[in-house]
Amino acid sequence: AKKQGKNRHFWFERSMENELRFRNELETGIRRGVQQGEFVPYYEQQIDLDTGELVGFEMLARWNSPQLGLVKPDIFIPVAEDMGIICTLSEQLIDIALEDAKQWDPSITLSVNISPVQLRDQWFAQKLLKQLVKHNFPPQRLEIEITESCLHENIALVRTMITSLRNQGVQISLDDFGTGYASLSQLKTLPFDRLKIDRSFVGSLSAESPEAGSQLINAIVSLGDGLRLPITAEGIEDAHILELLREMGPLKGQGYHYGQPETSAQVQQRLTALNRL
Ligand code: C2E
Ligand code: CA
Ligand code: CA
Ligand code: CA
């Protein structure tokens, strides 16, 4: 038994060591990836559920790592946030995305995710507006998605930045709504343009008892109505969920039912087929 315990201790230390090594390699890789331009935007369609029309794309970051292959943001965004490199990374991706989106029909919007770390920078709004000017991109076509976790940081600063972005026409969405800390009073006092219902709620519509899920979504939809905030439902995975959502009122939606996130080239093909490039 003693021998076994020693062994376990050994393996424990080994796995800690491995984890640290992996983390170190990840950080080095991310730093180099930013320098080498290995991060690329993918795009997910956003649909007007009433008309079925394509109305926008959400940009989702991917890392084309020479060692790891195509890496999802859940792996590198938290690390990039810790490293503080998220601001540079995001700026880089937005530069590319704005150029991509300029090729699209001007009726099509671009949504980008903004990390709470970026919102701690008091110059964030100015920098983003400067970027729009640099690319000659109409602010009205840009939407930024922030999560509820931004709201328990420096609310006063966040409000100031949101307000100056909105004054220029940028749309502000509250992402992953329902999973975080937003209080109803914050919803009223912060100037959002839209709520995005988290895909965990939307996914519950396909569960064995979809009634509970649909009551919850109905509640969010009527909250949105009351606050005059339009709603996007994310994570629509099948036609059944889509049908249920369409009955709940005019919504925007996105999800794998419409397709996986695509590269800029794939988006161009899609838009060419739709005659909207
Ligand atoms: P999110 O903003 O909630 O983005 C939606 C995520 O759900 C995306 O995962 C998307 O691929 C996935 N998804 C979309 N439709 C479906 C569906 O029907 N079913 C399921 N199961 N999943 C679906 P992804 O691309 O891995 O992004 C994960 C998260 O990473 C995003 O969640 C966002 O919070 C963050 N993220 C992505 N790009 C950026 C970025 O450029 N900057 C920052 N700060 N965060 C980013
Ligand atoms: Ca999002
Ligand atoms: Ca989301
Ligand atoms: Ca999410």
Side-chain angles (χ1 to χ4, degrees):
K2 203 179 172 194
K3 200 174 160 198
Q4 208 187 4
K6 216 173 169 184
N7 219 1
R8 214 177 302 154
H9 183 67
F10 172 77
W11 282 111
F12 179 67
E13 277 194 342
R14 282 292 294 215
S15 68
M16 287 275 285
E17 207 180 293
N18 282 339
E19 219 163 274
L20 274 177
R21 188 175 307 136
F22 180 66
R23 169 79 186 205
N24 264 326
E25 279 169 13
L26 205 52
E27 290 189 6
T28 310
I30 290 171
R31 208 172 282 117
R32 197 173 42 219
V34 169
Q35 282 164 5
Q36 310 278 324
E38 291 166 7
F39 291 88
V40 291
Y42 272 53
Y43 300 98
E44 177 171 319
Q45 301 174 67
Q46 298 179 319
I47 307 290
D48 177 332
L49 297 189
D50 259 358
T51 63
E53 197 187 352
L54 172 74
V55 289
F57 286 98
E58 177 178 1
M59 190 266 276
L60 295 161
R62 296 288 182 269
W63 178 22
N64 254 319
S65 158
Q67 283 84 31
L68 303 170
L70 194 66
V71 186
K72 295 260 188 112
D74 289 334
I75 306 286
F76 61 83
I77 296 284
V79 182
E81 285 175 342
D82 285 351
M83 294 168 67
I85 207 172
I86 183 71
C87 300
T88 312
L89 173 54
S90 176
E91 213 175 291
Q92 216 175 64
L93 286 167
I94 291 172
D95 268 333
I96 305 171
L98 291 175
E99 283 305 309
D100 286 342
K102 274 170 71 175
Q103 313 285 314
W104 311 338
D105 184 283
S107 63
I108 300 173
T109 58
L110 170 71
S111 301
V112 299
N113 294 286
I114 300 299
S115 151
V117 174
Q118 291 172 275
L119 289 177
R120 281 184 214 142
D121 172 8
Q122 60 164 324
W123 302 111
F124 167 75
Q126 270 103 321
K127 286 188 200 159
L128 185 61
L129 291 171
K130 245 183 157 167
Q131 242 180 326
L132 291 171
V133 171
K134 176 173 110 188
H135 293 279
N136 192 21
F137 193 87
Q140 293 75 14
R141 282 186 68 195
L142 182 73
E143 172 179 70
I144 66 168
E145 302 188 359
I146 67 178
T147 58
E148 291 167 277
S149 54
C150 297
L151 304 180
H152 57 141
E153 303 225 349
N154 189 345
I155 289 269
L157 179 61
V158 172
R159 183 187 287 117
T160 309
M161 288 198 290
I162 291 183
T163 305
S164 62
L165 288 170
R166 280 190 96 223
N167 287 343
Q168 299 301 314
V170 176
Q171 309 271 312
I172 320 287
S173 286
L174 186 55
D175 202 359
D176 298 352
F177 181 66
T179 61
Y181 307 85
S183 68
L184 296 182
S185 63
Q186 280 173 337
L187 276 188
K188 251 180 69 185
T189 55
L190 283 165
F192 292 109
D193 296 289
R194 171 172 296 275
L195 298 178
K196 293 192 75 174
I197 307 183
D198 190 68
R199 71 166 187 265
S200 56
F201 301 120
V202 175
S204 70
L205 289 176
S206 72
E208 276 172 16
S209 53
E211 295 81 22
S214 80
Q215 274 174 22
L216 223 141
I217 294 178
N218 262 318
I220 298 178
V221 169
S222 44
L223 180 72
D225 276 350
L227 296 168
R228 304 217 150 55
L229 289 175
I231 288 177
T232 300
E234 54 178 39
I236 303 173
E237 292 188 349
D238 56 52
H240 174 66
I241 293 182
L242 173 61
E243 256 340 287
L244 291 175
L245 286 170
R246 289 187 59 174
E247 285 163 12
M248 292 183 191
L251 300 172
K252 274 205 230 175
Q254 52 185 101
Y256 293 168
H257 176 61
Y258 296 102
Q260 299 275 329
E262 299 171 328
T263 64
S264 171
Q266 289 169 321
V267 166
Q268 292 222 15
Q269 278 177 20
R270 179 180 292 283
L271 294 180
T272 306
L274 292 172
N275 220 347
R276 294 184 66 193
L277 195 64

